[in-house]
Amino acid sequence: MPIEDRDDAYVLTHALAKDTLSRLRDVETTQVAFRKGLVKLGRICGYEIIDGAMETEYVSIQTPLAETTGERVKGLDNVVIINVLRAATPFVEGLLKAFPRAKQGVISAGRDEEAGMDDDGNFPITIDYVKLPEITEKDTVIVADPMLATGSTMCSVLDHILDNNDGVDPAKLFVLSAVSAPDGLLRVGDEFPDIDLLTVSIDDYLDDDGYIVPGLGDAGDRAFRTT
C-alpha cells in the first residue's frame, strides 16, 4: 500500500502522485496545467484513501452467466469533504471523482499576511464564510488544503468544525495536503492527536515569511492566476 507512516504524518508515495506533484512544483507550469494537476492529484489521493483506510464487504452478484461473490467499498455514502477555500477547489474536484456521492462543505479561511508571523510561528486567521453539512459518527471526513504550512489556518478550521458539531465525532477525520512543512504537521498533530494527517510530501522547512520550501509557491494564486 503506497501510504507510509512517517511518525508525524502518513505520506502518500504512489508513483503518479509523486510525478504529478513534481509537475506542480515546476515554475514553468501554466495556470491551466496547474489546476488540472491539482485535480489529478486530488483524484489519486482519494483513491489511495479508499484503498488504505476504507473497508470492503462481500456481496452476492448475478452476472449474465452466473451468480458470484464480489467486493464493494463500505462507507462511500458516508464521506464528507471540506474545501478550505480557495486553493483547495481544484484539489476537491479531484477528490469528488473518487467520492462522487460525498457531502461537501466549504470554509473560507486565510491567514493575515500583512500582520505577519509571530515569534511562535503563528498567523492571525480570518474565517469569512462557513457552510457545512451535518457530520455524523458514521462519516469519514476529509479536510482538504493543498498546503499545510504553519498549521495556523488548519487548526482554526478544525476548531470550527469540531466546536460546531454538537460534540459528535466522525468515524475518521483526515487532513489532506499536497505539501506540508514539518512545523505545521507538528502543530496540528499536537493540537489534534486523534486526526490522521495525510500528505504527498513533507518538505524541508518554512522560510521567514511562513512559506513552505521548496513548496509550490502560492497554490491559490497559481491555480486562479491572481498574480
PDB file of all heavy atoms in Angstrom, residues 81-107:
ATOM      1  N   ILE A  81     -16.430  15.893   2.490  1.00  0.00           N
ATOM      2  CA  ILE A  81     -15.218  16.576   2.028  1.00  0.00           C
ATOM      3  C   ILE A  81     -15.380  18.062   2.300  1.00  0.00           C
ATOM      4  O   ILE A  81     -16.355  18.679   1.863  1.00  0.00           O
ATOM      5  CB  ILE A  81     -14.974  16.325   0.527  1.00  0.00           C
ATOM      6  CG1 ILE A  81     -14.770  14.829   0.264  1.00  0.00           C
ATOM      7  CG2 ILE A  81     -13.760  17.115   0.050  1.00  0.00           C
ATOM      8  CD1 ILE A  81     -14.661  14.465  -1.199  1.00  0.00           C
ATOM      9  N   ILE A  82     -14.420  18.628   3.015  1.00  0.00           N
ATOM     10  CA  ILE A  82     -14.472  20.040   3.366  1.00  0.00           C
ATOM     11  C   ILE A  82     -13.377  20.789   2.607  1.00  0.00           C
ATOM     12  O   ILE A  82     -12.191  20.479   2.734  1.00  0.00           O
ATOM     13  CB  ILE A  82     -14.342  20.241   4.879  1.00  0.00           C
ATOM     14  CG1 ILE A  82     -15.540  19.573   5.579  1.00  0.00           C
ATOM     15  CG2 ILE A  82     -14.284  21.732   5.230  1.00  0.00           C
ATOM     16  CD1 ILE A  82     -15.475  19.589   7.076  1.00  0.00           C
ATOM     17  N   ASN A  83     -13.816  21.744   1.826  1.00  0.00           N
ATOM     18  CA  ASN A  83     -12.959  22.536   0.949  1.00  0.00           C
ATOM     19  C   ASN A  83     -12.519  23.793   1.696  1.00  0.00           C
ATOM     20  O   ASN A  83     -13.343  24.637   2.037  1.00  0.00           O
ATOM     21  CB  ASN A  83     -13.772  22.881  -0.311  1.00  0.00           C
ATOM     22  CG  ASN A  83     -13.028  23.728  -1.311  1.00  0.00           C
ATOM     23  OD1 ASN A  83     -11.961  24.254  -1.039  1.00  0.00           O
ATOM     24  ND2 ASN A  83     -13.631  23.896  -2.482  1.00  0.00           N
ATOM     25  N   VAL A  84     -11.207  23.914   1.943  1.00  0.00           N
ATOM     26  CA  VAL A  84     -10.678  25.131   2.558  1.00  0.00           C
ATOM     27  C   VAL A  84     -10.394  26.108   1.414  1.00  0.00           C
ATOM     28  O   VAL A  84      -9.401  25.987   0.698  1.00  0.00           O
ATOM     29  CB  VAL A  84      -9.413  24.856   3.387  1.00  0.00           C
ATOM     30  CG1 VAL A  84      -8.913  26.144   4.028  1.00  0.00           C
ATOM     31  CG2 VAL A  84      -9.698  23.804   4.467  1.00  0.00           C
ATOM     32  N   LEU A  85     -11.321  27.052   1.225  1.00  0.00           N
ATOM     33  CA  LEU A  85     -11.223  27.979   0.097  1.00  0.00           C
ATOM     34  C   LEU A  85      -9.991  28.872   0.228  1.00  0.00           C
ATOM     35  O   LEU A  85      -9.574  29.217   1.330  1.00  0.00           O
ATOM     36  CB  LEU A  85     -12.471  28.865   0.054  1.00  0.00           C
ATOM     37  CG  LEU A  85     -13.796  28.148  -0.207  1.00  0.00           C
ATOM     38  CD1 LEU A  85     -14.947  29.150  -0.109  1.00  0.00           C
ATOM     39  CD2 LEU A  85     -13.809  27.464  -1.552  1.00  0.00           C
ATOM     40  N   ARG A  86      -9.377  29.177  -0.925  1.00  0.00           N
ATOM     41  CA  ARG A  86      -9.848  28.880  -2.268  1.00  0.00           C
ATOM     42  C   ARG A  86      -8.981  27.839  -2.968  1.00  0.00           C
ATOM     43  O   ARG A  86      -9.404  27.169  -3.927  1.00  0.00           O
ATOM     44  CB  ARG A  86      -9.828  30.166  -3.099  1.00  0.00           C
ATOM     45  CG  ARG A  86      -8.425  30.673  -3.294  1.00  0.00           C
ATOM     46  CD  ARG A  86      -8.325  31.980  -4.031  1.00  0.00           C
ATOM     47  NE  ARG A  86      -6.982  32.455  -3.822  1.00  0.00           N
ATOM     48  CZ  ARG A  86      -6.293  33.191  -4.669  1.00  0.00           C
ATOM     49  NH1 ARG A  86      -6.858  33.563  -5.797  1.00  0.00           N
ATOM     50  NH2 ARG A  86      -5.079  33.576  -4.379  1.00  0.00           N
ATOM     51  N   ALA A  87      -7.737  27.674  -2.508  1.00  0.00           N
ATOM     52  CA  ALA A  87      -6.765  26.832  -3.210  1.00  0.00           C
ATOM     53  C   ALA A  87      -7.215  25.384  -3.311  1.00  0.00           C
ATOM     54  O   ALA A  87      -6.810  24.661  -4.221  1.00  0.00           O
ATOM     55  CB  ALA A  87      -5.402  26.914  -2.521  1.00  0.00           C
ATOM     56  N   ALA A  88      -8.062  24.948  -2.392  1.00  0.00           N
ATOM     57  CA  ALA A  88      -8.458  23.535  -2.384  1.00  0.00           C
ATOM     58  C   ALA A  88      -9.529  23.214  -3.412  1.00  0.00           C
ATOM     59  O   ALA A  88      -9.843  22.042  -3.621  1.00  0.00           O
ATOM     60  CB  ALA A  88      -8.954  23.134  -0.993  1.00  0.00           C
ATOM     61  N   THR A  89     -10.080  24.216  -4.100  1.00  0.00           N
ATOM     62  CA  THR A  89     -11.201  23.957  -5.004  1.00  0.00           C
ATOM     63  C   THR A  89     -10.870  22.941  -6.096  1.00  0.00           C
ATOM     64  O   THR A  89     -11.604  21.957  -6.275  1.00  0.00           O
ATOM     65  CB  THR A  89     -11.721  25.274  -5.598  1.00  0.00           C
ATOM     66  OG1 THR A  89     -12.175  26.116  -4.530  1.00  0.00           O
ATOM     67  CG2 THR A  89     -12.870  25.029  -6.556  1.00  0.00           C
ATOM     68  N   PRO A  90      -9.782  23.096  -6.863  1.00  0.00           N
ATOM     69  CA  PRO A  90      -9.469  22.058  -7.850  1.00  0.00           C
ATOM     70  C   PRO A  90      -9.038  20.740  -7.204  1.00  0.00           C
ATOM     71  O   PRO A  90      -9.309  19.663  -7.747  1.00  0.00           O
ATOM     72  CB  PRO A  90      -8.342  22.682  -8.687  1.00  0.00           C
ATOM     73  CG  PRO A  90      -7.792  23.782  -7.854  1.00  0.00           C
ATOM     74  CD  PRO A  90      -8.891  24.261  -6.996  1.00  0.00           C
ATOM     75  N   PHE A  91      -8.389  20.811  -6.071  1.00  0.00           N
ATOM     76  CA  PHE A  91      -7.987  19.621  -5.322  1.00  0.00           C
ATOM     77  C   PHE A  91      -9.235  18.800  -4.946  1.00  0.00           C
ATOM     78  O   PHE A  91      -9.271  17.578  -5.113  1.00  0.00           O
ATOM     79  CB  PHE A  91      -7.229  20.082  -4.089  1.00  0.00           C
ATOM     80  CG  PHE A  91      -6.343  19.056  -3.432  1.00  0.00           C
ATOM     81  CD1 PHE A  91      -5.634  18.114  -4.166  1.00  0.00           C
ATOM     82  CD2 PHE A  91      -6.175  19.063  -2.051  1.00  0.00           C
ATOM     83  CE1 PHE A  91      -4.807  17.189  -3.552  1.00  0.00           C
ATOM     84  CE2 PHE A  91      -5.343  18.154  -1.431  1.00  0.00           C
ATOM     85  CZ  PHE A  91      -4.658  17.214  -2.181  1.00  0.00           C
ATOM     86  N   VAL A  92     -10.256  19.490  -4.462  1.00  0.00           N
ATOM     87  CA  VAL A  92     -11.515  18.830  -4.080  1.00  0.00           C
ATOM     88  C   VAL A  92     -12.240  18.292  -5.308  1.00  0.00           C
ATOM     89  O   VAL A  92     -12.877  17.231  -5.255  1.00  0.00           O
ATOM     90  CB  VAL A  92     -12.409  19.805  -3.282  1.00  0.00           C
ATOM     91  CG1 VAL A  92     -13.838  19.282  -3.171  1.00  0.00           C
ATOM     92  CG2 VAL A  92     -11.822  20.033  -1.895  1.00  0.00           C
ATOM     93  N   GLU A  93     -12.143  19.004  -6.424  1.00  0.00           N
ATOM     94  CA  GLU A  93     -12.746  18.497  -7.659  1.00  0.00           C
ATOM     95  C   GLU A  93     -12.215  17.101  -7.977  1.00  0.00           C
ATOM     96  O   GLU A  93     -12.965  16.213  -8.404  1.00  0.00           O
ATOM     97  CB  GLU A  93     -12.448  19.456  -8.812  1.00  0.00           C
ATOM     98  CG  GLU A  93     -13.080  19.047 -10.128  1.00  0.00           C
ATOM     99  CD  GLU A  93     -12.740  19.995 -11.266  1.00  0.00           C
ATOM    100  OE1 GLU A  93     -12.342  21.145 -10.984  1.00  0.00           O
ATOM    101  OE2 GLU A  93     -12.848  19.586 -12.437  1.00  0.00           O
ATOM    102  N   GLY A  94     -10.923  16.899  -7.764  1.00  0.00           N
ATOM    103  CA  GLY A  94     -10.349  15.577  -7.975  1.00  0.00           C
ATOM    104  C   GLY A  94     -10.832  14.565  -6.952  1.00  0.00           C
ATOM    105  O   GLY A  94     -11.128  13.417  -7.296  1.00  0.00           O
ATOM    106  N   LEU A  95     -10.922  14.968  -5.694  1.00  0.00           N
ATOM    107  CA  LEU A  95     -11.419  14.070  -4.662  1.00  0.00           C
ATOM    108  C   LEU A  95     -12.828  13.585  -4.981  1.00  0.00           C
ATOM    109  O   LEU A  95     -13.177  12.430  -4.720  1.00  0.00           O
ATOM    110  CB  LEU A  95     -11.417  14.775  -3.303  1.00  0.00           C
ATOM    111  CG  LEU A  95     -10.088  14.882  -2.562  1.00  0.00           C
ATOM    112  CD1 LEU A  95     -10.219  15.839  -1.385  1.00  0.00           C
ATOM    113  CD2 LEU A  95      -9.620  13.520  -2.090  1.00  0.00           C
ATOM    114  N   LEU A  96     -13.636  14.467  -5.558  1.00  0.00           N
ATOM    115  CA  LEU A  96     -15.016  14.100  -5.859  1.00  0.00           C
ATOM    116  C   LEU A  96     -15.114  13.067  -6.984  1.00  0.00           C
ATOM    117  O   LEU A  96     -16.142  12.409  -7.128  1.00  0.00           O
ATOM    118  CB  LEU A  96     -15.823  15.347  -6.220  1.00  0.00           C
ATOM    119  CG  LEU A  96     -16.110  16.275  -5.033  1.00  0.00           C
ATOM    120  CD1 LEU A  96     -16.704  17.586  -5.523  1.00  0.00           C
ATOM    121  CD2 LEU A  96     -17.040  15.608  -4.033  1.00  0.00           C
ATOM    122  N   LYS A  97     -14.063  12.917  -7.757  1.00  0.00           N
ATOM    123  CA  LYS A  97     -14.057  11.853  -8.759  1.00  0.00           C
ATOM    124  C   LYS A  97     -13.903  10.491  -8.072  1.00  0.00           C
ATOM    125  O   LYS A  97     -14.376   9.469  -8.588  1.00  0.00           O
ATOM    126  CB  LYS A  97     -12.930  12.087  -9.764  1.00  0.00           C
ATOM    127  CG  LYS A  97     -13.121  13.349 -10.604  1.00  0.00           C
ATOM    128  CD  LYS A  97     -11.989  13.537 -11.587  1.00  0.00           C
ATOM    129  CE  LYS A  97     -12.140  14.843 -12.354  1.00  0.00           C
ATOM    130  NZ  LYS A  97     -13.370  14.928 -13.160  1.00  0.00           N
ATOM    131  N   ALA A  98     -13.252  10.482  -6.917  1.00  0.00           N
ATOM    132  CA  ALA A  98     -13.135   9.247  -6.138  1.00  0.00           C
ATOM    133  C   ALA A  98     -14.334   9.049  -5.219  1.00  0.00           C
ATOM    134  O   ALA A  98     -14.710   7.909  -4.917  1.00  0.00           O
ATOM    135  CB  ALA A  98     -11.841   9.269  -5.322  1.00  0.00           C
ATOM    136  N   PHE A  99     -14.924  10.158  -4.758  1.00  0.00           N
ATOM    137  CA  PHE A  99     -16.063  10.106  -3.842  1.00  0.00           C
ATOM    138  C   PHE A  99     -17.228  10.900  -4.431  1.00  0.00           C
ATOM    139  O   PHE A  99     -17.598  11.957  -3.911  1.00  0.00           O
ATOM    140  CB  PHE A  99     -15.681  10.687  -2.485  1.00  0.00           C
ATOM    141  CG  PHE A  99     -14.532  10.005  -1.792  1.00  0.00           C
ATOM    142  CD1 PHE A  99     -13.270  10.587  -1.782  1.00  0.00           C
ATOM    143  CD2 PHE A  99     -14.716   8.789  -1.155  1.00  0.00           C
ATOM    144  CE1 PHE A  99     -12.211   9.966  -1.141  1.00  0.00           C
ATOM    145  CE2 PHE A  99     -13.663   8.162  -0.510  1.00  0.00           C
ATOM    146  CZ  PHE A  99     -12.406   8.746  -0.506  1.00  0.00           C
ATOM    147  N   PRO A 100     -17.844  10.423  -5.509  1.00  0.00           N
ATOM    148  CA  PRO A 100     -18.874  11.222  -6.192  1.00  0.00           C
ATOM    149  C   PRO A 100     -20.129  11.456  -5.358  1.00  0.00           C
ATOM    150  O   PRO A 100     -20.888  12.389  -5.650  1.00  0.00           O
ATOM    151  CB  PRO A 100     -19.179  10.395  -7.445  1.00  0.00           C
ATOM    152  CG  PRO A 100     -18.765   9.000  -7.106  1.00  0.00           C
ATOM    153  CD  PRO A 100     -17.592   9.144  -6.198  1.00  0.00           C
ATOM    154  N   ARG A 101     -20.368  10.650  -4.337  1.00  0.00           N
ATOM    155  CA  ARG A 101     -21.575  10.814  -3.525  1.00  0.00           C
ATOM    156  C   ARG A 101     -21.285  11.522  -2.196  1.00  0.00           C
ATOM    157  O   ARG A 101     -22.143  11.538  -1.296  1.00  0.00           O
ATOM    158  CB  ARG A 101     -22.215   9.446  -3.262  1.00  0.00           C
ATOM    159  CG  ARG A 101     -22.630   8.722  -4.531  1.00  0.00           C
ATOM    160  CD  ARG A 101     -23.562   7.547  -4.263  1.00  0.00           C
ATOM    161  NE  ARG A 101     -22.956   6.509  -3.430  1.00  0.00           N
ATOM    162  CZ  ARG A 101     -22.202   5.525  -3.904  1.00  0.00           C
ATOM    163  NH1 ARG A 101     -21.913   5.473  -5.205  1.00  0.00           N
ATOM    164  NH2 ARG A 101     -21.712   4.594  -3.101  1.00  0.00           N
ATOM    165  N   ALA A 102     -20.102  12.095  -2.074  1.00  0.00           N
ATOM    166  CA  ALA A 102     -19.731  12.743  -0.815  1.00  0.00           C
ATOM    167  C   ALA A 102     -20.564  13.995  -0.549  1.00  0.00           C
ATOM    168  O   ALA A 102     -20.937  14.722  -1.473  1.00  0.00           O
ATOM    169  CB  ALA A 102     -18.246  13.117  -0.829  1.00  0.00           C
ATOM    170  N   LYS A 103     -20.852  14.222   0.730  1.00  0.00           N
ATOM    171  CA  LYS A 103     -21.386  15.518   1.145  1.00  0.00           C
ATOM    172  C   LYS A 103     -20.221  16.514   1.136  1.00  0.00           C
ATOM    173  O   LYS A 103     -19.081  16.150   1.406  1.00  0.00           O
ATOM    174  CB  LYS A 103     -21.988  15.421   2.548  1.00  0.00           C
ATOM    175  CG  LYS A 103     -23.206  14.517   2.638  1.00  0.00           C
ATOM    176  CD  LYS A 103     -23.771  14.448   4.042  1.00  0.00           C
ATOM    177  CE  LYS A 103     -22.906  13.596   4.964  1.00  0.00           C
ATOM    178  NZ  LYS A 103     -23.517  13.411   6.315  1.00  0.00           N
ATOM    179  N   GLN A 104     -20.554  17.779   0.837  1.00  0.00           N
ATOM    180  CA  GLN A 104     -19.490  18.776   0.728  1.00  0.00           C
ATOM    181  C   GLN A 104     -19.731  19.951   1.663  1.00  0.00           C
ATOM    182  O   GLN A 104     -20.872  20.366   1.864  1.00  0.00           O
ATOM    183  CB  GLN A 104     -19.397  19.301  -0.700  1.00  0.00           C
ATOM    184  CG  GLN A 104     -19.029  18.261  -1.732  1.00  0.00           C
ATOM    185  CD  GLN A 104     -18.992  18.861  -3.116  1.00  0.00           C
ATOM    186  OE1 GLN A 104     -18.218  19.779  -3.391  1.00  0.00           O
ATOM    187  NE2 GLN A 104     -19.844  18.360  -3.991  1.00  0.00           N
ATOM    188  N   GLY A 105     -18.632  20.457   2.196  1.00  0.00           N
ATOM    189  CA  GLY A 105     -18.673  21.669   2.983  1.00  0.00           C
ATOM    190  C   GLY A 105     -17.574  22.610   2.531  1.00  0.00           C
ATOM    191  O   GLY A 105     -16.603  22.190   1.902  1.00  0.00           O
ATOM    192  N   VAL A 106     -17.735  23.900   2.827  1.00  0.00           N
ATOM    193  CA  VAL A 106     -16.708  24.880   2.490  1.00  0.00           C
ATOM    194  C   VAL A 106     -16.433  25.769   3.699  1.00  0.00           C
ATOM    195  O   VAL A 106     -17.344  26.106   4.461  1.00  0.00           O
ATOM    196  CB  VAL A 106     -17.097  25.756   1.277  1.00  0.00           C
ATOM    197  CG1 VAL A 106     -17.195  24.917   0.011  1.00  0.00           C
ATOM    198  CG2 VAL A 106     -18.387  26.503   1.526  1.00  0.00           C
ATOM    199  N   ILE A 107     -15.182  26.112   3.856  1.00  0.00           N
ATOM    200  CA  ILE A 107     -14.774  27.088   4.865  1.00  0.00           C
ATOM    201  C   ILE A 107     -13.798  28.044   4.199  1.00  0.00           C
ATOM    202  O   ILE A 107     -12.756  27.619   3.673  1.00  0.00           O
ATOM    203  CB  ILE A 107     -14.104  26.423   6.084  1.00  0.00           C
ATOM    204  CG1 ILE A 107     -15.095  25.532   6.828  1.00  0.00           C
ATOM    205  CG2 ILE A 107     -13.548  27.498   7.029  1.00  0.00           C
ATOM    206  CD1 ILE A 107     -14.524  24.904   8.097  1.00  0.00           C
TER     207      ILE A 107
END
